[in-house]
Amino acid sequence: MRRAPAPSAAHLAPAATRLAPWRALGAAFVLAALLAPRPAPAQTPLPDPYDYDETVPAPKRTAPLRWQPVELGKPGHRYKIPVYANRNLAKDDLRDIKQVLIVVHGVKRDADRYYDTAAQLLTHNPDRARDTLILAPRFSGSIDSGFAGMAAWRKSSWEDGEESIQANGRPAPVTSFQVLDDLLRSLDDRKRLPALAGIVLAGHSAGAQLVQRYAILNNVDGPLRRDGLMLRYVIANPSSYLYLSNERPRPDGKGYAPYERGICPTYNQYKYGTDKLPAYSRETDDSRLFVRYAARDVTYLLGGADNNPEHRLLDKTCGAEAQGATRLARGTAYLQYEYVLAARGPKPVPLHRSSFEVGGVGHDNKGMFGSVCGAQALLGSGAQTGERAAACDIIPPRGK
């Protein structure tokens, strides 16, 4: 009987010993995998460029805000502009409206965002929401789509009061000053708005440039007041102002003096001064313009952090640079300039002014109009704001 062959030493070795070569081979594969170059992960895309004009993104709406076409002008020269509003202007009953707030957008023509800013204020003031009409007109650009058949302007020419373009399919040219005239006159309608007592015309940035010049040059303020409508102007963070003499802030900060024409030959031409005023202005005498402007109810709002001399949207032409290095510097200088002019002569000129610096806010319409003083400037004394609303400091006349 044959016996089975005796097991060899290899067969008698423990299993762990027999598997060692396979474990070593597996470890080699793992090490190779760890050392092998891996494809570079996809780079995280950079965010959109910083938006200096709107530092706080607007909340997403459940549905896009729709503008309304508003027809203005006299018979024979009618035209339409887009307007965002909190009422249906064609169908709603407006007999309960006591105040109208008109907000003018900046250079981006984002009237919908400016409307949002005003509408947000009303959420903090529900009692005023019932009788306040918000209007945010849009000065459309000639390249903007979706506004066919309406008045449109080349780039930001509207901020200076210039005419809309003349083109096929567009209405006859109309100045942005005339648009404001016609819009205000349309509100002076006692049949449709019998309870209306006041109108606030507010602008920020480029819109503030338009409002400041309009406040000086318009001829409808007086007639509106005689009809019982109080018109107030709110001017926030403009890049420049319309001066009513050939003086500008001295470089040493000590008063005002004529600017050096060798540095800027056109510094006193409109839109920075009263040389070559537009045809819209019926009054051309500097002194009379100032006395009339001094009597108008104007609130200036200056952002305490709007002090970047290299801001990409800051006007850096020599006419603007003659007024100061930053929006905050230019605004502060202009406020003091008004007091200097008012104090001249045998009898001081009364100034109907309110001036505030909004703490910690830069070039941002939401921060400016949503501040404590901004809300009250737009909605009136006692208006409420959100918990994070910026505080304000009164800007007093220099030396007081």
Side-chain angles (χ1 to χ4, degrees):
M1 184 174 182
R2 298 182 62 184
R3 295 180 179 178
S8 65
H11 286 89
L12 295 175
T17 304
R18 294 199 304 268
L19 294 176
W22 294 101
R23 287 182 175 173
L25 183 59
F29 277 119
V30 172
L31 181 61
L34 291 174
L35 296 178
R38 298 184 179 181
Q43 289 187 342
T44 302
L46 293 175
D48 293 334
Y50 185 74
D51 188 343
Y52 288 89
D53 195 45
E54 298 291 346
T55 58
V56 180
K60 293 183 178 180
R61 305 187 188 97
T62 55
L65 181 64
R66 179 66 181 168
W67 51 265
Q68 305 174 41
V70 172
E71 188 174 60
L72 299 171
K74 298 179 180 179
H77 188 187
R78 303 289 284 176
Y79 60 92
K80 292 181 180 179
I81 62 168
V83 176
Y84 296 88
N86 60 338
R87 298 283 188 98
N88 185 316
L89 301 176
K91 299 179 180 179
D92 285 357
D93 185 349
L94 304 180
R95 287 178 294 179
D96 58 340
I97 296 298
K98 296 179 181 179
Q99 175 177 262
V100 175
L101 170 57
I102 304 172
V103 286
V104 184
H105 56 73
V107 72
K108 296 182 181 180
R109 305 187 294 279
D110 47 354
D112 55 339
R113 294 186 183 277
Y114 277 69
Y115 169 84
D116 281 342
T117 295
Q120 184 64 32
L121 287 178
L122 289 186
T123 64
H124 299 295
N125 298 273
D127 55 326
R128 305 189 189 208
R130 291 187 288 270
D131 58 22
T132 298
L133 175 65
I134 300 174
L135 302 177
R138 177 186 170 111
F139 291 95
S140 300
S142 56
I143 62 172
D144 295 348
S145 61
F147 302 96
M150 299 193 176
W153 284 259
R154 287 186 178 85
K155 297 184 179 181
S156 58
S157 61
W158 56 268
E159 73 186 37
D160 305 339
E162 292 187 17
E163 287 186 338
S164 58
I165 61 170
Q166 185 167 5
N168 290 335
R170 300 281 189 185
V174 58
T175 70
S176 51
F177 286 152
Q178 188 64 48
V179 171
L180 294 180
D181 276 358
D182 293 338
L183 184 58
L184 291 173
R185 288 194 182 105
S186 73
L187 300 172
D188 191 6
D189 183 348
R190 287 304 175 186
K191 291 183 178 179
R192 195 171 187 211
L193 294 155
L196 183 62
I199 303 172
V200 175
L201 178 58
H204 176 262
S205 192
Q209 292 195 59
L210 176 66
V211 172
Q212 196 261 341
R213 288 159 177 83
Y214 181 76
I216 293 176
L217 301 178
N218 82 76
N219 296 291
V220 302
D221 187 292
L224 288 176
R225 289 177 185 275
R226 287 193 291 272
D227 286 347
L229 297 179
M230 300 303 294
L231 179 57
R232 297 190 291 113
Y233 308 89
V234 181
I235 298 165
N237 289 343
S239 257
S240 66
Y241 298 78
L242 175 57
Y243 270 73
L244 296 173
S245 72
N246 65 351
E247 300 158 290
R248 297 296 184 272
R250 293 172 58 95
D252 59 6
K254 298 179 180 180
Y256 302 82
Y259 197 67
E260 177 55 60
R261 288 189 181 271
I263 298 175
C264 186
T266 60
Y267 83 94
N268 202 45
Q269 288 185 11
Y270 185 83
K271 63 179 182 179
Y272 306 107
T274 53
D275 294 348
K276 300 182 179 180
L277 285 171
Y280 170 84
S281 178
R282 297 178 192 170
E283 181 60 71
T284 57
D285 181 84
D286 294 356
S287 298
R288 291 176 181 172
L289 280 172
F290 174 71
V291 170
R292 187 177 70 173
Y293 183 48
R296 293 178 173 177
D297 191 336
V298 179
T299 296
Y300 294 106
L301 302 176
L302 304 180
D306 198 356
N307 54 5
N308 180 5
E310 300 302 325
H311 192 291
R312 67 184 180 91
L313 297 177
L314 179 68
D315 186 345
K316 300 181 181 67
T317 61
C318 66
E321 294 285 355
Q323 299 183 13
T326 68
R327 290 189 188 86
L328 179 58
R330 294 172 190 179
T332 303
Y334 193 82
L335 304 188
Q336 302 302 335
Y337 163 78
E338 287 196 329
Y339 285 106
V340 169
L341 289 189
R344 289 177 179 170
K347 187 177 180 181
V349 175
L351 274 174
H352 295 263
R353 295 292 184 268
S354 298
S355 307
F356 301 93
E357 182 175 318
V358 182
V361 176
H363 203 61
D364 172 22
N365 91 81
K366 291 182 182 294
M368 295 297 293
F369 291 148
S371 67
V372 174
C373 54
Q376 295 192 16
L378 267 57
L379 296 182
S381 177
Q384 300 299 307
T385 58
E387 294 180 359
R388 298 184 179 181
C392 305
D393 291 320
I394 296 174
I395 304 175
R398 189 167 295 161
K400 293 188 180 182

